[in-house]
Amino acid sequence: MIKILKKLGFIALAGFSLGAFVAIPLASAQGDLLKRKTTEETILEKLRQARPDINFGEPRPAVIKGLYQVQVPGGPLLFVTPEGDKFIAGEIFGIDATGFSKIEDPYVIEERKKALASLSSKDSINFKPKGKAKAVVYVFTDIDCGYCRKLHSQMHTYNEGGQEKPGYNDLGIEIRYLAYPRAGIPSPSADKLVSTWCAKDKLDAMTKLKAGQTVANATCDNPVAKQFQLGGQLGVNGTPALFLPDGKLMPGYLPPEELAKTLGI
């Protein structure tokens, strides 16, 4: 009997010792899992360590498998490795039998549409067609930008090479201006935009300033700083930046007829 008890005791002790042996590394493994960073956290940490002066956007999977994309507000879109040790700055193009085409992340496009849809038309400076608008295009603009001035000079019928051509409004395109002072805030360009948004006649002030004329300095509660920040979040890094109704970003100037063709009107 004693022999049997001793045998059982040995087995029980052995079982306890084995359980304790297994439990310790298991608890340690669970602790490691709790401490382990996500890929997104790793990428953001590495980027911030390298450039603490830059406010990076949130990483998310890119359309190229294996990479993550991070928007630099007011800067380029970065395509980063999961380890956060390398990145490519630029645009992604698809290749098919018809040629090359720019690819944008559907998630980003939807986020742009939501952001622009949330804007009040009272906060933008709107140049409307005489009749019903066929399309609304948001344009982040700067007063001192050469191509911004060219775009504005073609709001209505204009002459090019001795030929009369229809402007944006003539083609049924409503242009809604948003502020994006390229020199940042504060800057003389930002001050001009503030004066435009605070003028009694905003459309007249915009037209005069884009033509190189002056308007009275004015200050008020205005959306210039907020729109500048929004532009950076949406991927604007230059002006003019055109946002189409489908959420796509067209960086740079487009002639009225070319824009109408792009819009399908």
Side-chain angles (χ1 to χ4, degrees), residues 127-128 152-158 165-170 256:
F127 285 80
K128 303 178 180 181
H152 192 77
S153 71
Q154 297 175 352
M155 196 66 68
H156 305 289
T157 304
Y158 65 100
K165 292 189 175 183
Y168 300 102
N169 286 175
D170 303 314

Side-chain angles (χ1 to χ4, degrees), residues 218-231:
T219 57
C220 65
D221 184 18
N222 66 84
V224 171
K226 188 178 292 185
Q227 290 178 4
F228 177 64
Q229 183 180 22
L230 175 64

Side-chain angles (χ1 to χ4, degrees), residues 66-83:
L67 295 181
Y68 287 73
Q69 63 186 50
V70 178
Q71 179 66 58
V72 177
L77 185 62
L78 308 181
F79 297 97
V80 192
T81 58
E83 298 77 18

Side-chain angles (χ1 to χ4, degrees), residues 194-199 202 218-223:
V194 169
S195 292
T196 305
W197 256 263
C198 294
K202 297 179 178 62
T219 57
C220 65
D221 184 18
N222 66 84

Side-chain angles (χ1 to χ4, degrees), residues 21 120 132 187 215 226 239 244:
F21 177 77
S120 169
K132 185 177 179 181
S187 68
V215 299
K226 188 178 292 185
T239 53
L244 308 187

Side-chain angles (χ1 to χ4, degrees), residues 127-129 133-137 155 167-175 256 259-260 263 265:
F127 285 80
K128 303 178 180 181
K134 297 178 182 177
V136 173
V137 175
M155 196 66 68
Y168 300 102
N169 286 175
D170 303 314
L171 294 169
I173 303 170
E174 179 179 338
I175 299 294
L259 179 56
L263 293 167
I265 60 176

Side-chain angles (χ1 to χ4, degrees), residues 74-231:
L77 185 62
L78 308 181
F79 297 97
V80 192
T81 58
E83 298 77 18
D85 59 346
K86 302 178 186 69
F87 73 81
I88 301 168
E91 299 177 334
I92 296 178
F93 288 84
I95 305 170
D96 57 33
T98 62
F100 303 151
S101 59
K102 183 180 176 181
I103 295 177
E104 289 198 279
D105 184 351
Y107 173 86
V108 172
I109 291 176
E110 283 303 311
E111 287 300 300
R112 286 177 186 159
K113 288 168 69 174
K114 290 177 185 177
L116 295 173
S118 70
L119 294 174
S120 169
S121 60
K122 295 178 181 179
D123 288 335
S124 54
I125 297 179
N126 311 320
F127 285 80
K128 303 178 180 181
K130 288 183 179 180
K132 185 177 179 181
K134 297 178 182 177
V136 173
V137 175
Y138 282 93
V139 178
F140 280 88
T141 193
D142 179 277
I143 296 296
D144 299 315
C145 149
Y147 277 105
C148 295
R149 292 186 171 190
K150 182 173 183 177
L151 185 152
H152 192 77
S153 71
Q154 297 175 352
M155 196 66 68
H156 305 289
T157 304
Y158 65 100
N159 187 290
E160 185 174 83
Q163 182 181 357
E164 292 289 319
K165 292 189 175 183
Y168 300 102
N169 286 175
D170 303 314
L171 294 169
I173 303 170
E174 179 179 338
I175 299 294
R176 294 187 181 180
Y177 279 128
L178 299 172
Y180 193 84
R182 295 179 304 169
I185 299 174
S187 68
S189 292
D191 293 342
K192 291 176 185 177
L193 286 166
V194 169
S195 292
T196 305
W197 256 263
C198 294
K200 290 183 179 180
D201 187 336
K202 297 179 178 62
L203 276 67
D204 180 64
M206 180 70 78
T207 298
K208 285 180 177 177
L209 285 169
K210 288 287 181 73
Q213 301 175 31
T214 58
V215 299
N217 292 331
T219 57
C220 65
D221 184 18
N222 66 84
V224 171
K226 188 178 292 185
Q227 290 178 4
F228 177 64
Q229 183 180 22
L230 175 64

